[in-house]
């Protein structure tokens, strides 16, 4: 996961604060897993696979169901509807959904639509910001510290938070919290 030198230390701190705030609103502590669908529900979002989206063109449904090349998208702001790619592994779905939820929490707006998928597009900087906040929502820095203090290894941390191993490595890199693999 290459990122994110462009994001300021202030922004990164703000993301940790947002993650802390969202967890406290849900009474989920920093070291506990936070499934994306729990947070989505609290924010009033409905989650859809492409075949369940009301009124989506059949051609678009077919295209989205056949492609690995997209992750998720906000297809309506009011009501808040998020479509996700059911072809991706569960751990990746979690990060995909947290990424979309991050766009909501950061109040990002779309800038047009992808000509192939028909899904909304956003500025690259917004994409980087959402990826960063999404990671904080999945594994807050304090949660990562908790895990390493308990001598949990990278695969155990991934399993605990329902995250992919690359996500744990990414969070370790950007928070300077060393995580051992073995
Ligand atoms: Zn995005």
């Amino acid at each position: 996961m290459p990122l994110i030198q462009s994001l300021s230390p202030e922004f990164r701190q703000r993301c940790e604060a947002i993650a802390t705030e969202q967890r406290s609103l849900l009474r989920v502590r920093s070291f506990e897993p936070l499934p994306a669908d729990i947070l989505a529900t609290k924010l009033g979002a409905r989650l859809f696979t492409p075949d369940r989206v009301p009124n989506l063109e059949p051609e678009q449904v077919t295209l989205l169901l056949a492609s690995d090349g997209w992750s998720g998208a906000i297809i309506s702001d009011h009501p808040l509807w998020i479509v996700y790619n059911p072809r991706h592994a569960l751990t990746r779905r979690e990060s995909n959904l947290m990424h979309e939820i991050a766009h909501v929490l950061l109040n990002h707006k779309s800038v047009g639509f992808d000509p192939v998928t028909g899904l909304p597009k956003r500025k690259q900087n917004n994409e980087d910001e959402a990826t960063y906040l999404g990671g904080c929502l999945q594994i807050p820095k304090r949660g990562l510290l908790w895990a390493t203090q308990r001598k949990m290894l990278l695969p155990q941390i991934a399993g605990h938070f329902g995250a992919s191993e690359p996500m744990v490595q990414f969070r370790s890199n950007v928070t300077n919290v060393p995580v051992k693999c073995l």
Side-chain angles (χ1 to χ4, degrees), residues 72-74 96 99-100 103 108 120-123 126-128 130-131:
I74 297 162
N96 292 344
H99 174 105
E100 297 306 323
H103 279 310
H108 290 160
K121 285 173 50 169
R122 290 167 208 282
K123 287 185 281 190
N126 284 179
E127 293 303 337
D128 292 346
T131 297

Side-chain angles (χ1 to χ4, degrees), residues 95-116:
S95 66
N96 292 344
L97 287 170
M98 286 303 200
H99 174 105
E100 297 306 323
I101 289 168
H103 279 310
V104 175
L105 293 172
L106 293 168
N107 208 15
H108 290 160
K109 302 297 174 212
S110 61
V111 287
F113 295 88
D114 184 292
V116 177

Side-chain angles (χ1 to χ4, degrees), residues 58-132:
E59 297 79 19
Q60 196 184 355
V61 173
T62 304
L63 185 138
L64 292 173
L65 285 176
S67 169
D68 291 321
W70 65 284
S71 300
I74 297 162
I75 49 171
S76 164
D77 291 314
H78 303 286
L80 182 54
W81 286 0
I82 299 173
V83 63
Y84 64 92
N85 194 333
R87 297 169 62 95
H88 289 172
L90 284 176
T91 52
R92 179 145 175 224
R93 272 189 230 176
E94 283 292 300
S95 66
N96 292 344
L97 287 170
M98 286 303 200
H99 174 105
E100 297 306 323
I101 289 168
H103 279 310
V104 175
L105 293 172
L106 293 168
N107 208 15
H108 290 160
K109 302 297 174 212
S110 61
V111 287
F113 295 88
D114 184 292
V116 177
T117 63
L119 298 175
K121 285 173 50 169
R122 290 167 208 282
K123 287 185 281 190
Q124 186 56 48
N125 181 252
N126 284 179
E127 293 303 337
D128 292 346
E129 290 182 352
T131 297
Y132 196 86

Side-chain angles (χ1 to χ4, degrees), residues 1 3 7 21 23 29 33 39 48 50 63 68 89 94 98 113 125 137 142 149 152 161-163 168 172 174 180:
M1 231 175 278
L3 262 315
L7 300 177
E21 181 187 19
R23 281 168 175 265
R29 289 184 283 183
L39 182 53
F48 297 93
L63 185 138
D68 291 321
E94 283 292 300
M98 286 303 200
F113 295 88
N125 181 252
L137 292 167
R142 286 165 61 186
Q149 281 160 6
M152 289 167 72
F161 286 102
V168 176
S172 169
V174 296
K180 293 196 174 108

